[in-house]
Amino acid sequence: MRGIVFTLLVDMLEEQQGLAFLNSVLAEADLPSGGAYTSGGNYELSELNEILSCLERRLEIPVEFLLRNYGEYMLLRLAIMFPGFFEVDNLKTFLLSIDRRIHVELRKLYPDSSLPSFNYQDRGENGLTIDYRSSKKLCFLAEGLIEGAAKHFNSECSLIHSTCMHRGDDNCTFELEFYERTE
Amino acid sequence: MSEQSEFEVAYRREKTARHAAEAILEEKTRELHRLNEVLVEANATLMAQQEQLVQTEKLASLGSLSAGIAHEINNPLAFVTSNINALNKYAEMYIGLTTLLVAVDEPLPLAIANKLKEIQESKRDIGYVVNDTRLIFTEVQSGLERVRDIVASLKTFARTNPGDRADVDINQAIHDALKILDNELKYKCTMDVQLKPLPPIYCNISEVGQIFINIIMNACHAIGAEGTIKIRSNYGDDIRVSIEDNGKGIPDDILPQIFDPFFTNKPLGEGTGLGLSVSHGIVENLGGRIKVESKVGVGTRFTLIFPIEQRVEARQ
């Protein structure tokens, strides 16, 4: 798994929970890397799972919520790090560009990365269905990323996670409805 | 744990991460360098292939043009040559007649005798006219032979028919060429010929012989008063023949043009500019290539590369 997933998680924990908390989580997780992550490196998925289990125990927050929260944080950081990917008009266009453009660019940067696949079903101006497939089954992280994107584009959307690999389905399905912002 | 200790733990972790990042950077830089080298090499290959392609295209279009020109020139050339030969014979008869007439001792009718005297006293006397007529015929015939040779070369250059092909020993073709050129070479060129036994290639021996005649002749011309021509042959994956002279060399700016038809840097009238383009065409038809290395003042080396495995269709 790409190091950036870990470096941003470590940043988030340090910013939101403090350095002492981060140190103790990384020490408790007893990670092969020692938690010394770098964005260019590759690390085992099991290290992420160890950290999440540790956080679940300590914060008493289920892993899926932690991942959603992290996904949102991650997207807002990625928007700062890679502004070119976000130079589109709206949330839906951005989501449609993930597989066709962003993943293509990421493969250039990280040729050995295994990225999730997204299949889209465009349901008109206000509707989009995304089929998510990944051996890592990080669908809750994907949910958080979509929510983070909605924030970035100052958009409102509803997300129904109608099928899920964690419930034995072949893939996860995100059914999205986009709304005009009413504030 | 004190705040300072927390920072120390974080620092050690970040330090480890930095070392890891540096190692990745170093590895990526090395990989980038390697890939760049591959790219530079691929680019050079591509450029060479592009140059080759342009040359091939140019020769292909000039080939069809040459075929047309050769055909058009050949017909009038045939009757001009034939008529000149006949005219030469007739002129000899007239010369004989005139000589007899001048030598006649018997008195001629007055009108004829006066006319004969007038001719003899004109600026160009009979003797001069006779000699000049013969010289003119010799020059015209030599000029026609030259035109015939150029047309023949053009036809070879434009050749698409492989002609009479057979299994040929390239070394034999080199020896034949050296025999033909012996008169040209013996006074100024020291020949250093080392030929290793070669497998035969399926080709037309006279075509291949023409290549060696052209290139060895060029080497001889490139040598001033005296010099050495080294000829080597050997084979591995393909057959290679190198012909190297220590002559004046080819300047870099004209090197790309030497295979262009009608390109020559020999004095006017001494070269048709078809030798190397014809040779290039023949070698290409055999699936081979010609490599040239030259340095002004040092010499030139032509390397002819022939594939050993002739294409199946070439044999059919």
Side-chain angles (χ1 to χ4, degrees), chain B residues 241-257:
Chain B
V241 178
S242 66
I243 299 162
E244 184 179 339
D245 66 67
N246 58 353
K248 60 186 176 186
I250 306 167
D252 285 347
D253 59 328
I254 65 165
L255 205 55
Q257 302 169 60

Side-chain angles (χ1 to χ4, degrees), chain A residues 162-182:
Chain A
S162 56
T163 67
C164 184
M165 289 182 282
H166 293 289
R167 297 197 298 264
D169 293 316
D170 288 340
N171 63 283
C172 295
T173 308
F174 303 133
E175 291 179 25
L176 300 166
E177 296 290 336
F178 305 100
Y179 304 106
E180 290 286 325
R181 212 168 169 88
T182 50

Side-chain angles (χ1 to χ4, degrees), chain B:
Chain B
M1 202 186 283
S2 70
E3 193 177 344
Q4 190 180 342
S5 300
E6 296 292 357
F7 277 114
E8 278 173 10
V9 169
Y11 172 75
R12 278 196 294 277
R13 191 171 60 241
E14 289 302 313
K15 191 177 170 185
T16 309
R18 176 167 59 80
H19 289 163
E22 284 165 358
I24 291 168
L25 183 66
E26 196 176 312
E27 188 192 327
K28 294 280 176 194
T29 307
R30 208 174 293 123
E31 178 67 1
L32 192 66
H33 182 72
R34 190 189 66 77
L35 290 174
N36 189 50
E37 278 183 344
V38 171
L39 202 63
V40 166
E41 201 174 312
N43 191 44
T45 308
L46 207 61
M47 296 285 276
Q49 282 171 344
Q50 191 185 19
E51 213 168 281
Q52 185 78 14
L53 198 64
V54 169
Q55 179 74 0
T56 306
E57 287 292 319
K58 200 161 55 179
L59 291 180
S61 53
L62 279 163
S64 45
L65 183 70
S66 305
I69 293 172
H71 179 74
E72 290 304 321
I73 294 176
N74 231 8
N75 290 337
L77 182 66
F79 69 74
V80 168
T81 306
S82 168
N83 288 350
I84 283 290
N85 288 339
L87 200 58
N88 193 16
K89 281 181 194 159
Y90 300 159
E92 281 300 326
M93 285 170 65
Y94 278 113
I95 288 167
L97 193 63
T98 311
T99 313
L100 279 176
L101 200 58
V102 171
V104 164
D105 285 338
E106 296 296 318
L108 293 167
L110 188 62
I112 294 172
N114 285 343
K115 193 68 185 168
L116 197 59
K117 195 179 172 194
E118 191 185 315
I119 291 169
Q120 280 176 317
E121 287 171 355
S122 68
K123 282 182 189 168
R124 291 177 177 177
D125 62 33
I126 294 291
Y128 173 84
V129 169
V130 166
N131 287 339
D132 203 34
T133 302
R134 284 178 173 145
L135 192 63
I136 287 168
F137 273 110
T138 307
E139 283 181 0
V140 168
Q141 278 170 326
S142 157
L144 284 172
E145 275 171 23
R146 192 166 161 73
V147 174
R148 187 197 62 201
D149 288 348
I150 292 172
V151 171
S153 295
L154 278 175
K155 285 170 85 174
T156 310
F157 171 66
R159 186 190 296 275
T160 50
N161 182 353
D164 299 324
R165 289 189 174 184
D167 283 334
V168 168
D169 178 5
I170 290 288
N171 288 339
Q172 186 57 48
I174 297 170
H175 284 303
D176 289 349
L178 289 173
K179 247 183 253 169
I180 291 167
L181 295 173
D182 184 51
N183 218 28
E184 293 275 345
L185 302 171
K186 64 184 175 188
Y187 296 111
K188 64 176 202 175
C189 302
T190 304
M191 299 305 297
D192 175 2
V193 182
Q194 291 177 28
L195 308 178
K196 291 193 176 160
L198 301 174
I201 66 165
Y202 191 67
C203 64
N204 180 326
I205 191 163
S206 60
E207 279 188 348
V208 175
Q210 197 181 347
I211 301 170
F212 295 118
I213 290 172
N214 289 334
I215 295 177
I216 297 168
M217 195 65 176
N218 282 349
C220 178
H221 287 158
I223 287 168
E226 55 183 316
T228 302
I229 298 177
K230 285 183 194 169
I231 303 179
R232 301 281 185 274
S233 71
N234 59 40
Y235 79 97
D237 292 338
D238 39 38
I239 291 175
R240 287 178 185 240
V241 178
S242 66
I243 299 162
E244 184 179 339
D245 66 67
N246 58 353
K248 60 186 176 186
I250 306 167
D252 285 347
D253 59 328
I254 65 165
L255 205 55
Q257 302 169 60
I258 60 169
F259 293 112
D260 289 356
F262 302 109
F263 177 81
T264 180
N265 61 349
K266 290 176 187 165
L268 195 65
E270 281 187 25
T272 60
L274 285 168
L276 283 180
S277 61
V278 166
S279 304
H280 186 270
I282 295 168
V283 174
E284 277 222 325
N285 276 345
L286 293 171
R289 60 196 169 91
I290 303 180
K291 208 168 83 176
V292 193
E293 298 147 279
S294 189
K295 196 167 183 184
V296 173
V298 177
T300 302
R301 177 166 58 214
F302 282 83
T303 307
L304 286 84
I305 300 156
F306 300 97
I308 295 173
E309 286 299 321
Q310 294 295 296
R311 290 185 295 257
V312 174
E313 61 264 32
R315 291 185 171 272
Q316 285 170 344

Side-chain angles (χ1 to χ4, degrees), chain A residues 106-122:
Chain A
L106 287 176
R107 279 191 191 94
K108 290 182 197 169
L109 278 175
Y110 311 112
D112 52 349
S113 52
S114 64
L115 298 165
S117 78
F118 283 65
N119 284 313
Y120 301 96
Q121 190 195 334
D122 193 341

